């Protein structure tokens, strides 16, 4: 599935991923390929992006907020204050504050 994490300043992340765990208002939930369409509100917390099938990810200055989780370069984290998520046709867009 394809993931875009967008903030008011810039696109923080844009790539194919295996799964994404987000902090929903009723608790964390995970999305995988072929997940049903969804629109939801996110609360303060951490987005975890699993990129296990990706052999190489390129980071630049815009990706400074995206960091490896516990030194695992295939699990990335992004801290957010709040946001909105939309999943449709294997494209996941997160609008993060």
């Amino acid at each position: 599935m394809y993931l875009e994490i967008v903030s008011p300043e810039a696109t923080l992340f844009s790539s194919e991923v295996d799964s994404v765990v987000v902090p929903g208002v009723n608790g964390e939930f995970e999305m995988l390929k072929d997940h049903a369409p969804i629109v939801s509100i996110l609360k303060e917390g951490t987005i975890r992006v699993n990129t296990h099938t990706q052999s190489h990810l390129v980071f630049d200055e815009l990706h400074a907020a995206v960091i490896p989780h516990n030194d695992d370069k295939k699990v990335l984290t992004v801290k957010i204050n709040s946001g909105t998520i939309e999943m449709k046709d294997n494209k996941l867009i997160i609008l993060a504050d």
Side-chain angles (χ1 to χ4, degrees), residues 20-73:
V20 178
V21 178
V22 295
V25 292
N26 293 320
E28 281 190 343
F29 62 96
E30 182 175 23
M31 283 158 294
L32 303 166
K33 183 179 178 187
D34 296 327
H35 193 285
I38 185 173
V39 174
S40 184
I41 297 172
L42 303 177
K43 66 177 186 174
E44 182 176 357
T46 302
I47 299 169
R48 289 192 318 271
V49 180
N50 297 299
T51 62
H52 291 287
T53 60
Q54 300 298 313
S55 60
H56 181 69
L57 291 171
V58 177
F59 292 95
D60 55 31
E61 291 177 12
L62 294 177
H63 294 91
V66 181
I67 58 171
H69 179 68
N70 295 332
D71 295 325
D72 183 352
K73 296 204 183 290

